[in-house]
């Protein structure tokens, strides 16, 4: 039973890692497209707004940002 749970968690971890990797690739793609062409998508502005929402949350927001960043690593 322990092997099954460990295997399931490893499977979920690999899926989440793949999704995060894909999202990073899409963000980098949109940054380069935004440099070359004028688009309605502003990935840098979206990232800035996300970080601002964490920072404006005070100490709790800063701690949430640290936890969020640790999941991305």
């Amino acid at each position: 039973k322990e092997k099954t749970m460990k295997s399931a968690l490893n499977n979920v971890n690999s899926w989440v890692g793949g999704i995060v990797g894909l999202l990073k690739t899409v963000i980098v793609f949109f940054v380069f497209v935004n440099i070359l062409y004028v688009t309605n998508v502003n990935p840098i502005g979206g990232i800035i707004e996300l970080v601002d929402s964490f920072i404006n949350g005070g100490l709790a927001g800063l701690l949430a940002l640290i936890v969020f960043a640790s999941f991305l690593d």
Side-chain angles (χ1 to χ4, degrees):
K1 193 171 188 177
E2 187 173 315
K3 282 186 176 182
T4 305
M5 185 63 116
K6 192 172 195 177
S7 175
L9 289 176
N10 285 337
N11 193 16
V12 169
N13 192 21
S14 67
W15 274 92
V16 170
I19 291 171
V20 168
L22 179 66
L23 288 174
K24 286 179 184 179
T25 303
V26 168
I27 289 172
V28 169
F29 172 75
F30 277 120
V31 167
F32 282 118
V33 167
N34 238 8
I35 291 171
L36 297 175
Y37 306 103
V38 176
T39 64
N40 291 334
V41 179
N42 186 6
I44 296 173
I47 294 170
I48 290 172
E49 287 179 19
L50 177 67
V51 172
D52 280 344
S53 68
F54 283 116
I55 291 174
N56 290 334
L59 181 61
L62 182 61
L63 291 175
L65 177 61
I66 291 170
V67 169
F68 180 72
S70 71
F71 285 131
L72 295 178
D73 191 40

